[in-house]
Amino acid sequence: MRNLEDFSVPNDGEITLCEINGRMQCMNYEYANVSSFTTSVDKHPKIHVTRDLVHHTALGDEIKALFLPTDVPFLKQLTQVYSEQGIQEVLRTASFHHHFVISHSALLVLKVLKYVRKVQLLLNPSLEYNGPELIDELCQTRNWANNLVRCIAWHHHTSRLAVATNDDSVRIYCSDTNFVSLLRCKQQKNVVCLAWRPMSLTEIAVGHENGIIIWNVDFNSLVARPSVSNTVMLHRVEHQLLMSLVWSPNGSILVSAAGRDSNILVWDVELNKTSILKGSRESGNILLKWSPAKDKLLSVSSGIVFKIWDCQHWESDRWTVLSGRVQSACWSSCGTHLLFATNTESIIYGLTIKSDQIFTSNSDTSIDHAVPLFDLTKLDLEGIAVGGTVQSMETDPKGTHLAVFFKETNCVAIFNVVTSPLLQLIASSLIVGLAAEVPTAITFQQNFKPGACLTIAWSSGRIQHFPIIYTDLANDFNVNHSVRSINNSR
Amino acid sequence: MEVIIPSFINAHLFWIIEKGDILLRSAMHRTMSTRHCKIVKDPSELYENQMVAVHIDDVWIRALVEDVVTTQTDRKFLCWLPDYGVMRSVCSVFQIPEALKECPPLAKQASLINVVNLATDLLLGDNGYELKLKKTVADIEGVRQVALDYIGGAEKILFDVQSEDRFNLYGDIICVYPENCKKSLTEALKDDKLLAEDEKMFETIDAQRRQLKDIYFQHSPNWQQSLGTVEKKKLAKIIFNQNKTTAMLIMQQPPTNPNLFTPQTFSYKDILVRKLVRAVACSVFSQIAILLIYVLVANVNFLHPLEWLTSILNTFTYVSTWLFVIIFSFIIFAQCLICAKDYVFMTSYSSTRFQQLLHIFSLHNFILLCLHVIIGGAFTWQILVVIDSSSKSLTVKCKIDKSCLVEDTFFLIVGSFWTGLYFFLKVYISTKQLVFPVVQQRKFLRVRSNVSGLFTESMVMSAWPTLYFAMFYYIWGQSMENYFMVVFNLDRAPHENSILAYVYLWWFSTLYFFSMNLMRFFFSMFLTEAIQFPIVKDNINTLTLQEALVMNNLPIVQNLACLDLYLLSQWSLMRRQLFFTLSQPGGHPHNWNTLIESVVKLFTEYTDVLRKSVETTLPSDKIKKQPETITPFSPITLQSPLAQNIKYRNLRNMSAYNDYLDVVNVSHEGSISAVETMKKNLDNTINKLVSFMKIFFGINFLFGELPQANIQKCLGNGQLIVWASQGISELTVASLSEDKYGIVQKDMPIIITSLVQLKQHLDKLNKVPALSRKVAGLQDFNYKMKNAVTAAVKHSLFNICLNFGQYFNDLPLSKDVVQYLYVNVMLKNSS
């Protein structure tokens, strides 16, 4: 099995900017400029999400500290507490009341509620964590709770990038204008995932804690903040903590997985109706990936099980990992291979999926276990720590590159994926950010002609476009040959 | 390619099997041997060229039944083995797994190219006789023998394909002998003066090439061929290349059975009857199952499992139990039958309030109401009786000669009558529409994932009628009870009214709601299950997909057809191929033409209804006069607009200029006399008076046309358009890579134009006040359906535009359409 020693590391003080014809290009970070190598990402939106760009909704305690406490009648106080903090806090306030009957009855109700909660926990252990904690643990984004950028997603057909930030808003950056649309509404809290609708230019699904909001953004209008009337809101009571969303390739149905619901829901978005894909009772679902061959869907549960659904009849193949759960997974381009990593081992596994329906009964013709492909054990390469357990992985639309970043170390590793004759991963380049920058989320651009373009959101709020260029594909985007030759001679 | 030749009849007819395909063949053997293949008992089930499985020499083999020979003692099936290229007769045939049917035959018919046989002809001339060689296409035994000798001696046989058509390969056989000595069979036979080259004569065989096989095997008695070399080698691992199988599937042009799957008759009656019978059966059985489970649970006794068991057994040994079950099943059965009509036939939209009233107070509804109420009561009674026949009966003997009324039971039974009534009024009447599931799951999975949801839903829903009834009973219960006692001459039993009665009532209503919901669920599940329509019309009894698409009078069949179109456009390469093939003989794309005709008809009809309804609903000043009609073609092509002569649209319109020959009507207005003015005024006044009267007496209210009725009707059929538009756009896009003959191309303008027109009219719906967001709630069906149809049409157009992007300028589209597409679909795509 190959390991991380295959990677070459950029020189000290340099950051990785792009990869041209399989060769990693680095520059000193002080005058780093990707356009000196290639012009292909010149038109891409330049994004830097800063702390002051993010408007936090007022945090209760800080606001409270600004005001002096006053004496208000008890009933008024209760109504105030109720409107701000809900019924439980009302009971707690009431329990401090000097009147014996009121305080005791409030305490009694609180006690009953406590026991109800205990029973609930017994039935569904995932309720133990509150929403954000559970998301933070299960989600593909590193340090989801505290990072500025929570999720990024490229449009399928145009160069539009949606960025979800931790103030519960989604910003859409376009390549052709500097105009940024801001999607935000009261219901949209704790955004975990974004999914642009295929076969449409304007629709994007935002998965938040309690449901899905589908925004229809009119990019021709100059309204910076589309109103709620442009949305379709979808939610089901038992479908809490949306973790992953995926559209069918023709954009007609949306599939959603939720951290607290064992069932996966298939939505007809416009008619607001669902079909249920039944899951095992005890675990939620954390990840969905549609195969590029359009006929399979991967769903990963928060337990040891992951399933591969056949999208025609919606029957599933059930797979299990030995320990932990699948942390991240992605498909190869033809949809016959699946790459995944668990949250306990630092190994990328490969799995060959039987795609030939006629011969499914032939048990001896298919390998029914995953093959370890790449050892990601933590290493120290010339002073840079690399490897460890995987946080998230993505393949580009052509299926030739795999980008991986880790839970503990600060690099993004790019592999070449070879599918024939045998599934193999070959170390390609290592992306290192500025000092103290940690990758938060990654995604590949969907319509990048000259090769592949990886977009990385760093913890500093900087969003980097990392083009992987093949000059024979990139006729229009002339690679700067002079720089390359200088680099080579050096 | 390296091949084996299982049968060599003559130079124009032999079969080849690619060496590489042998792996596939053995994989098929194993697939068949691992699956349980059912034997075909009745040969009348078979139709010609049906794919079956046969068991020869301990191997499972696919076979096509050519003929059935029945003698007094036994029956023989003549089978063509498409993977071996030989004919065999067998005693029994078996059903083949569905998946294997689609795999193309591995043995391909082939012919040496451009050669004819040479026959020795005796010519009598003046100087005696002379021998001459004459070219002929007739079969000559000698050719076969010599060729077999050549082939038999070869180490390896290669086939060099020079051309191919739909069922035949043309080329040359190259025999490779030891020490890599190669020899072309054509050359060898030519050298032997057995063959000669003659392209023209060779072409004369083409007409009968299809029948060659049949001709030969009919006339030659010794067709009982051996299988040849059955590979005994145990293959440890076969890796199938997905791409290669796809390629093979594409290569096979005429599938063995043109419709790939269907029996000989396929009419809407068959479909509906099959679906309804299953639905009714499931409903009745589910009722019994609920009862059974209830008995199991109600008697639960974990400490004494034996007692539990005996009590259950006891329950089921009572005659009364069975009597009730049977009667109850009958009622349910009757109800199912009557409901079935509601589901299958068109939901009529009444355009006036009067019609609506008539619809509500119809005999049909009255019968259903009675049935619902009866079932409500019977359900509870049955449960009461089944669980425990003594304590829960309606009356008890309290005195020697008089029975007394038990109030709890009375309360429960009257309550459940009410529940039945409530269910009918609240649920059944209001929601009759069949809801298709988002994805087509297997039935078992659907039941599994929906049952728990249905139960909780029933629990919540049944809380309301229980509450209403409790309130009602609290106020009027006493008097009702008294009345009942007087009528039946009963006494009051010792009072033991408990709070538990309310819980019981809720529980029974929940069960009732659940069973009714389950019944509705079964109906919708079976009726909405996707079916595959045949595409090629084999005989008159076949209802093809194209016909079903425009079957307005049976919306369920129409819906299923649209769904099938959508599904096949996504999933079935083979069935898509049927649209992209040309007819034989003739070379016409009949399948596609009928399809596109139906689909365009569907779209235009829908557009028409939309236009009419929007026009009537909107105040006239709101409709802007804008160029509405868009011709599908640009003027250069000189084709007339589509709606007028859709039938002949493939013909050149010789009279396209008649648009310019409009006769202008010129009329003179004479002077108007005073009398006429007065008459006109009088008419106006009378008209006004009449309309006032109409409003005043509520005639307009009752008989006036409801403004939204048409739109509602339109949107009620929205799902059709959603599927049809997506299906046709997927098919169009698929044609880019799968349509060899460019069949779809000629109809692209029509498809795009009708979709654009539809979209334009859908856009107008936004102006209808009742469908704008402010008025319509989120739960409003019409509002949601409007969005769904709009989105589907938009996505379909986008799909076509995206995939045909670079060829778009080559399509003869009219300016307006292109303009519209640029503005509404593609412009935003410019980046």
Side-chain angles (χ1 to χ4, degrees):
Chain A
M1 195 166 30
R2 294 162 195 271
N3 65 19
L4 288 169
E5 278 172 12
D6 296 358
F7 279 102
S8 57
V9 181
N11 294 334
D12 198 23
E14 287 191 339
I15 60 170
T16 330
L17 286 178
C18 61
E19 188 186 307
I20 291 168
N21 289 337
R23 208 185 141 78
M24 183 169 85
Q25 308 291 351
C26 309
M27 247 187 174
N28 193 304
Y29 66 84
E30 278 168 18
Y31 38 89
N33 187 4
V34 72
S35 34
S36 52
F37 294 102
T38 167
T39 56
S40 59
V41 291
D42 278 4
K43 283 186 182 163
H44 281 43
K46 311 263 177 301
I47 308 165
H48 197 147
V49 183
T50 49
R51 292 260 165 212
D52 34 327
L53 201 67
V54 174
H55 303 285
H56 272 284
T57 39
L59 294 170
D61 294 344
E62 287 171 18
I63 297 278
K64 237 185 200 170
L66 292 177
F67 296 95
L68 286 174
T70 50
D71 271 339
V72 283
F74 179 64
L75 213 60
K76 198 173 175 187
Q77 192 189 348
L78 282 190
T79 47
Q80 276 175 0
V81 172
Y82 175 72
S83 69
E84 280 167 15
Q85 283 149 308
I87 188 78
Q88 283 219 347
E89 207 54 36
V90 169
L91 288 173
R92 216 156 282 153
T93 318
S95 64
F96 295 124
H97 196 257
H98 53 82
H99 198 286
F100 174 79
V101 177
I102 295 176
S103 62
H104 273 250
S105 51
L107 276 174
L108 188 76
V109 175
L110 274 175
K111 235 176 216 173
V112 170
L113 281 180
K114 208 170 97 186
Y115 283 114
V116 168
R117 175 85 185 160
K118 268 187 183 163
V119 172
Q120 265 184 339
L121 278 181
L122 214 66
L123 294 175
N124 190 353
S126 68
L127 287 175
E128 197 174 344
Y129 303 96
N130 65 9
E133 272 175 36
L134 199 67
I135 293 174
D136 196 32
E137 193 194 317
L138 299 176
C139 156
Q140 299 284 301
T141 311
R142 181 161 162 185
N143 197 3
W144 177 87
N146 301 320
N147 263 328
L148 282 173
V149 177
R150 290 191 159 166
C151 184
I152 48 178
W154 276 105
H155 193 277
H156 291 265
H157 315 298
T158 60
S159 302
R160 286 188 188 132
L161 184 68
V163 179
T165 47
N166 72 348
D167 61 341
D168 298 329
S169 59
V170 176
R171 289 178 171 74
I172 295 173
Y173 297 86
C174 304
S175 58
D176 37 1
T177 59
N178 290 327
F179 193 71
V180 178
S181 307
L182 179 72
L183 311 180
R184 192 172 187 179
C185 70
K186 199 176 72 188
Q187 289 88 342
Q188 186 172 298
K189 273 189 183 143
N190 293 330
V191 176
V192 187
C193 45
L194 299 169
W196 287 93
R197 189 173 194 170
M199 301 300 154
S200 165
L201 292 166
T202 53
E203 286 160 274
I204 182 169
V206 178
H208 61 97
E209 196 177 352
N210 299 320
I212 308 164
I213 299 179
I214 292 158
W215 292 87
N216 195 343
V217 192
D218 186 1
F219 291 99
N220 289 344
S221 82
L222 287 172
V223 183
R225 257 190 86 168
S227 74
V228 190
S229 66
N230 294 322
T231 61
V232 179
M233 303 216 182
L234 307 170
H235 58 87
R236 292 285 184 271
V237 182
E238 63 283 355
H239 203 60
Q240 295 275 325
L241 292 197
L242 253 283
M243 294 298 299
S244 186
L245 285 176
V246 56
W247 290 93
S248 70
N250 63 359
S252 59
I253 53 175
L254 175 71
V255 187
S256 71
R260 278 206 189 131
D261 190 2
S262 58
N263 296 335
I264 293 168
L265 295 186
V266 185
W267 299 83
D268 183 322
V269 170
E270 274 84 18
L271 295 180
N272 192 358
K273 60 180 186 185
T274 54
S275 282
I276 299 168
L277 304 181
K278 199 96 178 151
S280 51
R281 228 177 141 73
E282 61 275 5
S283 55
N285 292 293
I286 58 170
L287 184 66
L288 296 169
K289 289 255 166 126
W290 210 293
S291 135
K294 300 180 183 180
D295 59 341
K296 296 268 192 302
L297 174 72
L298 165 80
S299 77
V300 175
S301 77
S302 56
I304 54 170
V305 178
F306 66 98
K307 287 184 174 182
I308 290 161
W309 298 87
D310 151 40
C311 301
Q312 191 178 358
H313 304 295
W314 296 95
E315 284 169 333
S316 61
D317 263 352
R318 194 168 176 276
W319 296 80
T320 49
V321 289
L322 292 177
S323 64
R325 61 180 159 81
V326 172
Q327 168 66 31
S328 188
C330 43
W331 292 90
S332 72
S333 58
C334 48
T336 49
H337 301 286
L338 184 74
L339 302 166
F340 68 88
T342 63
N343 67 339
T344 49
E345 291 168 294
S346 34
I347 292 174
I348 297 180
Y349 287 98
L351 184 65
T352 307
I353 307 296
K354 291 165 284 182
S355 48
D356 215 339
Q357 283 190 11
I358 301 175
F359 304 107
T360 38
S361 64
N362 268 342
S363 52
D364 53 336
T365 58
S366 63
I367 313 162
D368 53 357
H369 57 87
V371 185
L373 287 179
F374 209 97
D375 184 9
L376 299 173
T377 316
K378 211 162 156 184
L379 279 180
D380 197 6
L381 291 176
E382 301 175 28
I384 298 172
V386 185
T389 46
V390 171
Q391 176 72 48
S392 170
M393 46 205 269
E394 288 284 335
T395 43
D396 76 311
K398 296 188 186 77
T400 46
H401 295 95
L402 170 75
V404 178
F405 72 96
F406 307 96
K407 281 198 163 148
E408 282 130 25
T409 51
N410 305 344
C411 294
V412 180
I414 294 189
F415 300 89
N416 283 328
V417 184
V418 179
T419 48
S420 67
L422 275 175
L423 186 63
Q424 282 182 68
L425 292 180
I426 296 161
S428 175
S429 42
L430 206 61
I431 307 174
V432 183
L434 301 174
E437 266 188 343
V438 173
T440 312
I442 53 172
T443 181
F444 273 99
Q445 193 182 341
Q446 301 291 316
N447 62 339
F448 192 71
K449 297 271 157 43
C453 177
L454 177 70
T455 300
I456 308 161
W458 296 94
S459 57
S460 61
R462 180 172 72 100
I463 289 182
Q464 182 190 358
H465 302 297
F466 183 87
I468 301 167
I469 307 264
Y470 290 94
T471 35
D472 47 344
L473 289 172
N475 295 327
D476 307 336
F477 303 94
N478 276 328
V479 176
N480 202 329
H481 284 277
S482 57
V483 177
R484 232 176 85 215
S485 56
I486 293 170
N487 243 315
N488 287 347
S489 60
R490 195 164 54 181
Chain B
M1 54 183 175
E2 192 181 345
V3 295
I4 50 176
I5 299 181
S7 317
F8 189 94
I9 311 298
N10 57 40
H12 302 132
L13 180 65
F14 53 89
W15 280 268
I16 57 170
I17 302 172
E18 249 186 275
K19 265 277 172 71
D21 285 346
I22 291 175
L23 293 183
L24 198 67
R25 192 163 81 182
S26 51
M28 277 197 247
H29 296 162
R30 256 182 293 161
T31 310
M32 276 183 273
S33 58
T34 48
R35 304 253 176 110
H36 179 69
C37 299
K38 264 197 295 186
I39 191 162
V40 179
K41 283 189 186 132
D42 185 6
S44 61
E45 277 172 34
L46 297 170
Y47 46 93
E48 206 181 319
N49 279 333
Q50 189 187 355
M51 188 73 85
V52 291
V54 294
H55 198 220
I56 301 173
D57 298 352
D58 222 7
V59 215
W60 286 94
I61 297 166
R62 297 196 302 166
L64 293 170
V65 180
E66 299 271 355
D67 203 356
V68 186
V69 181
T70 318
T71 59
Q72 282 166 349
T73 50
D74 65 350
R75 190 190 298 133
K76 291 253 177 197
F77 298 89
L78 308 191
C79 294
W80 171 253
L81 312 182
D83 301 328
Y84 284 84
V86 295
M87 195 70 105
R88 281 297 284 258
S89 98
V90 290
C91 299
S92 45
V93 295
F94 302 82
Q95 300 279 7
I96 193 164
E98 204 63 39
L100 287 176
K101 279 187 187 171
E102 290 199 0
C103 202
L106 300 182
K108 290 162 197 130
Q109 190 177 327
S111 158
L112 295 180
I113 192 163
N114 293 342
V115 291
V116 290
N117 294 332
L118 281 177
T120 330
D121 210 356
L122 194 68
L123 277 186
L124 289 175
D126 296 337
N127 325 332
Y129 67 88
E130 67 177 308
L131 282 171
K132 248 198 161 175
L133 292 175
K134 196 184 117 193
K135 288 177 185 170
T136 172
V137 290
D139 200 0
I140 293 173
E141 179 65 14
V143 178
R144 173 182 148 88
Q145 294 301 338
V146 178
L148 279 178
D149 287 347
Y150 278 121
I151 293 168
E155 228 177 30
K156 212 164 43 160
I157 303 162
L158 304 176
F159 188 72
D160 176 23
V161 186
Q162 282 161 26
S163 72
E164 62 175 284
D165 63 17
R166 292 144 58 70
F167 45 86
N168 207 343
L169 300 171
Y170 302 90
D172 195 0
I173 295 174
I174 293 154
C175 306
V176 183
Y177 296 103
E179 285 152 26
N180 211 15
C181 165
K182 283 186 189 174
K183 201 168 196 180
S184 151
L185 186 69
T186 312
E187 294 302 327
L189 291 175
K190 262 196 234 167
D191 292 346
D192 293 345
K193 295 262 182 301
L194 285 166
L195 291 183
E197 198 145 343
D198 190 339
E199 202 171 331
K200 270 195 185 148
M201 204 172 196
F202 181 75
E203 270 167 20
T204 58
I205 314 172
D206 276 356
Q208 47 166 334
R209 196 165 285 286
R210 256 204 118 140
Q211 285 88 43
L212 276 183
K213 182 180 101 185
D214 299 340
I215 294 169
Y216 176 77
F217 285 109
Q218 262 169 28
H219 294 298
S220 65
N222 57 340
W223 40 256
Q224 184 77 8
Q225 293 166 292
S226 76
L227 280 186
T229 49
V230 177
E231 58 287 345
K232 292 276 188 248
K233 203 168 76 185
K234 193 84 182 164
L235 293 156
K237 205 185 224 176
I238 308 172
I239 297 157
F240 290 98
N241 188 341
Q242 166 75 4
N243 295 337
K244 197 177 155 200
T245 359
T246 327
M248 273 171 34
L249 289 171
I250 293 171
M251 223 169 70
Q252 187 226 19
Q253 276 293 330
T256 37
N257 167 17
N259 281 320
L260 305 173
F261 64 95
T262 36
Q264 270 183 333
T265 57
F266 189 87
S267 67
Y268 69 88
K269 275 181 197 150
D270 294 345
I271 308 169
L272 292 179
V273 166
R274 206 179 321 139
K275 280 170 176 277
L276 287 176
V277 163
R278 287 180 195 171
V280 172
C282 271
S283 304
V284 173
F285 280 113
S286 70
Q287 304 297 329
I288 296 174
I290 289 177
L291 200 69
L292 197 78
I293 293 170
Y294 189 83
V295 170
L296 271 179
V297 176
N299 291 322
V300 73
N301 193 348
F302 284 114
L303 296 176
H304 306 283
L306 267 180
E307 262 178 46
W308 184 16
L309 215 67
T310 47
S311 69
I312 290 166
L313 282 178
N314 273 339
T315 315
F316 283 97
T317 45
Y318 292 136
V319 179
S320 62
T321 313
W322 286 105
L323 206 68
F324 272 114
V325 168
I326 288 165
I327 291 172
F328 187 69
S329 312
F330 261 112
I331 303 175
I332 293 276
F333 183 71
Q335 196 197 2
C336 284
L337 285 189
I338 295 171
C339 289
K341 185 176 161 265
D342 276 349
Y343 287 115
V344 168
F345 291 106
M346 191 141 109
T347 41
S348 51
Y349 289 86
S350 0
S351 52
T352 63
R353 285 196 176 83
F354 185 66
Q355 277 182 354
Q356 277 181 345
L357 280 179
L358 280 186
H359 263 288
I360 292 171
F361 295 104
S362 62
L363 181 68
H364 177 77
N365 274 357
F366 181 71
I367 295 174
L368 272 180
L369 173 74
C370 292
L371 276 171
H372 269 94
V373 173
I374 291 171
I375 292 178
F379 190 79
T380 310
W381 198 345
Q382 178 192 328
I383 289 179
L384 290 177
V385 167
V386 166
I387 303 166
D388 205 344
S389 48
S390 60
S391 69
K392 294 283 181 180
S393 62
L394 193 56
T395 52
V396 284
K397 279 254 184 281
C398 51
K399 291 171 195 167
I400 303 142
D401 54 346
K402 211 163 188 197
S403 338
C404 298
L405 182 72
V406 182
E407 197 186 348
D408 275 8
T409 316
F410 179 73
F411 169 77
L412 284 179
I413 286 176
V414 176
S416 49
F417 277 124
W418 156 249
T419 314
L421 182 73
Y422 181 88
F423 182 85
F424 180 76
L425 294 179
K426 188 78 188 173
V427 186
Y428 187 81
I429 285 266
S430 58
T431 49
K432 266 187 208 168
Q433 219 142 21
L434 278 178
V435 180
F436 279 78
V438 183
V439 290
Q440 292 285 328
Q441 280 171 291
R442 298 266 186 229
K443 284 190 286 288
F444 174 69
L445 292 177
R446 270 186 81 184
V447 173
R448 213 183 66 158
S449 55
N450 278 301
V451 163
S452 61
L454 274 179
F455 192 77
T456 42
E457 192 195 322
S458 312
M459 234 158 135
V460 177
M461 266 161 60
S462 60
W464 292 108
T466 314
L467 196 70
Y468 295 151
F469 186 73
M471 279 175 355
F472 170 81
Y473 198 83
Y474 184 77
I475 301 167
W476 287 292
Q478 201 71 34
S479 53
M480 210 162 65
E481 203 181 331
N482 287 337
Y483 184 72
F484 188 80
M485 284 193 298
V486 169
V487 169
F488 288 95
N489 193 20
L490 298 167
D491 255 0
R492 189 186 292 274
H495 197 72
E496 43 185 69
N497 198 354
S498 64
I499 195 84
L500 263 181
Y502 294 100
V503 181
Y504 266 121
L505 180 63
W506 181 41
W507 174 232
F508 289 148
S509 330
T510 304
L511 277 183
Y512 173 77
F513 268 63
F514 179 61
S515 65
M516 286 292 127
N517 279 334
L518 206 62
M519 199 165 99
R520 286 154 55 85
F521 171 72
F522 278 127
F523 266 100
S524 83
M525 184 176 75
F526 282 103
L527 284 173
T528 60
E529 189 194 1
I531 45 171
Q532 295 195 340
F533 285 86
I535 291 165
V536 182
K537 200 166 178 80
D538 316 340
N539 56 40
I540 298 172
N541 294 329
T542 331
L543 174 74
T544 59
L545 175 67
Q546 294 93 324
E547 287 163 349
L549 278 175
V550 282
M551 224 170 180
N552 284 328
N553 52 347
L554 280 175
I556 178 75
V557 177
Q558 207 181 3
N559 268 306
L560 286 171
C562 287
L563 177 63
D564 187 33
L565 176 67
Y566 172 67
L567 290 177
L568 87 87
S569 75
Q570 282 207 309
W571 298 110
S572 180
L573 178 74
M574 293 293 284
R575 297 185 70 209
R576 279 202 299 269
Q577 276 297 313
L578 286 178
F579 286 119
F580 304 146
T581 47
L582 299 177
S583 68
Q584 195 75 27
H588 294 292
H590 288 308
N591 298 342
W592 170 261
N593 281 352
T594 44
L595 175 79
I596 195 68
E597 206 169 302
S598 308
V599 172
V600 171
K601 193 176 163 209
L602 188 70
F603 286 158
T604 43
E605 276 175 5
Y606 196 81
T607 316
D608 279 349
V609 179
L610 257 179
R611 198 188 60 234
K612 273 180 208 153
S613 49
V614 172
E615 273 169 9
T616 51
T617 336
L618 281 184
S620 55
D621 55 314
K622 272 200 178 174
I623 309 169
K624 273 188 204 160
K625 280 289 165 208
Q626 54 183 19
E628 277 173 15
T629 45
I630 291 173
T631 49
F633 299 98
S634 54
I636 320 154
T637 55
L638 290 183
Q639 298 232 19
S640 56
L642 133 100
Q644 293 157 18
N645 55 356
I646 191 167
K647 206 170 169 187
Y648 306 111
R649 85 199 120 78
N650 298 324
L651 294 180
R652 192 151 49 106
N653 190 347
M654 305 299 275
S655 59
Y657 283 110
N658 63 4
D659 294 354
Y660 302 105
L661 294 176
D662 268 353
V663 177
V664 180
N665 284 320
V666 183
S667 61
H668 288 280
E669 276 187 35
S671 56
I672 306 160
S673 67
V675 184
E676 278 181 12
T677 341
M678 235 176 74
K679 205 177 161 191
K680 227 178 215 173
N681 283 343
L682 200 71
D683 276 352
N684 275 344
T685 340
I686 290 173
N687 276 343
K688 270 184 195 163
L689 206 68
V690 168
S691 58
F692 174 75
M693 297 286 270
K694 273 185 182 171
I695 296 169
F696 190 76
F697 290 110
I699 294 175
N700 258 5
F701 183 80
L702 266 185
F703 297 101
E705 191 146 299
L706 283 173
Q708 309 292 321
N710 261 327
I711 290 184
Q712 249 169 40
K713 182 183 167 189
C714 230
L715 291 173
N717 287 334
Q719 192 68 53
L720 292 176
I721 302 297
V722 171
W723 282 325
S725 65
Q726 285 180 345
I728 203 75
S729 86
E730 284 279 328
L731 264 181
T732 314
V733 169
S735 77
L736 203 55
S737 56
E738 291 169 16
D739 176 14
K740 279 189 200 165
Y741 307 102
I743 291 165
V744 177
Q745 231 176 66
K746 72 174 179 8
D747 289 322
M748 290 260 315
I750 294 179
I751 298 171
I752 294 177
T753 310
S754 48
L755 280 173
V756 166
Q757 277 175 343
L758 183 56
K759 178 74 179 30
Q760 281 175 327
H761 283 97
L762 283 168
D763 288 345
K764 280 185 199 152
L765 278 184
N766 287 330
K767 291 180 197 153
V768 176
L771 292 174
S772 71
R773 176 157 189 123
K774 281 171 202 156
V775 184
L778 263 181
Q779 294 307 313
D780 183 42
F781 174 79
N782 290 332
Y783 175 72
K784 286 194 291 190
M785 191 43 106
K786 183 203 81 184
N787 285 344
V789 179
T790 316
V793 174
K794 196 174 170 186
H795 291 169
S796 313
L797 278 171
F798 188 89
N799 196 1
I800 296 178
C801 292
L802 185 79
N803 285 286
F804 279 87
Q806 45 182 329
Y807 315 107
F808 217 80
N809 291 332
D810 303 335
L811 292 174
L813 286 168
S814 81
K815 243 186 203 165
D816 294 334
V817 174
V818 176
Q819 174 83 9
Y820 184 87
L821 286 179
Y822 265 108
V823 173
N824 289 288
V825 185
M826 286 197 298
L827 179 70
K828 300 162 191 169
N829 198 10
S830 57
S831 57

